[in-house]
Amino acid sequence: MNAPDRFELFVLGEGQKKLTITPDTKLPNAATFTLQKEDHTIGNMLRMQLLKYKEVLFAGYKVPHPLEHCVILKIQTTPNTTPENMLMRAFDDLYKEFGTIKTKFEVNKLYIYIYLFLLFFFFFFFFFFFFQYFKNINIRKRHILIYLSIFYYFSKKKKKKKIN
């Protein structure tokens, strides 16, 4: 197949820099940043974060070609700051935002584990007491009662109404 190897999408070559900065000679307080081995994901996130700042006059990105794995980011700022400072601020804010998302995910994961533990605990004791109560009944009748109770539980769940 003619496709390049997958590792070429994210592994930098020898002597290749992740980020290069080229100051713009035509516009004041503007620069072009080239991010190697990146795609639309990081380009769009940085652009949207940069456009939230009042100091940024313009922020845009492009991917030159689908087979070229680099993002060209153009930033123009007000005279009281530099494009480099705004890019570093955007990276810092995105890093904090992702940290917040990660923390919320881990907290929700903990709640899921607690819920599953309580659910297991409930069913374990339900069946334990169920068997204790019916231990004098022979095994076949006991299994029939268990199956009937499980069927009754699941048949009582509300079914979603179909919208025509």
Side-chain angles (χ1 to χ4, degrees):
M1 185 169 199
N2 271 344
D5 293 327
R6 288 198 176 254
F7 72 88
E8 291 179 9
L9 301 175
F10 53 88
V11 176
L12 290 172
E14 280 190 41
Q16 193 176 24
K17 291 184 179 180
K18 185 73 171 176
L19 176 69
T20 55
I21 304 169
T22 309
D24 197 334
T25 56
K26 296 179 183 176
L27 294 172
N29 296 322
T32 303
F33 301 90
T34 305
L35 294 155
Q36 295 296 328
K37 305 298 181 184
E38 295 296 343
D39 59 1
H40 289 284
T41 306
I42 192 77
N44 197 30
M45 282 191 299
L46 285 171
R47 180 185 66 89
M48 291 304 294
Q49 188 66 34
L50 286 164
L51 290 174
K52 291 179 182 178
Y53 306 136
K54 293 178 184 177
E55 297 90 356
V56 175
L57 300 175
F58 174 80
Y61 82 96
K62 68 177 180 177
V63 175
H65 190 274
L67 293 177
E68 260 184 79
H69 301 289
C70 71
V71 173
I72 299 172
L73 181 68
K74 182 100 168 167
I75 304 171
Q76 184 181 11
T77 62
T78 57
N80 57 353
T81 188
T82 64
E84 293 87 1
N85 290 343
M86 288 287 94
L87 183 63
M88 292 311 298
R89 183 176 163 194
F91 276 130
D92 288 340
D93 290 347
L94 285 172
Y95 184 76
K96 289 175 189 172
E97 194 170 329
F98 286 130
T100 305
I101 292 170
K102 181 181 175 186
T103 306
K104 287 181 181 180
F105 177 75
E106 288 172 352
V107 168
N108 287 341
K109 197 163 93 172
L110 178 65
Y111 286 138
I112 290 170
Y113 287 142
I114 291 170
Y115 174 75
L116 289 174
F117 173 75
L118 291 174
L119 191 66
F120 172 76
F121 187 75
F122 170 74
F123 278 114
F124 175 75
F125 279 103
F126 171 75
F127 284 115
F128 177 75
F129 288 119
F130 190 78
F131 280 125
Q132 290 298 322
Y133 183 71
F134 291 107
K135 73 178 178 180
N136 295 331
I137 299 174
N138 67 21
I139 293 175
R140 179 171 281 167
K141 288 180 183 176
R142 194 180 314 158
H143 285 288
I144 292 171
L145 287 173
I146 291 171
Y147 294 140
L148 287 175
S149 64
I150 292 172
F151 177 75
Y152 177 76
Y153 171 76
F154 284 109
S155 66
K156 286 296 181 181
K157 285 190 172 183
K158 292 182 180 178
K159 295 182 180 177
K160 292 183 180 179
K161 294 181 181 178
K162 292 183 180 178
I163 299 174
N164 293 331

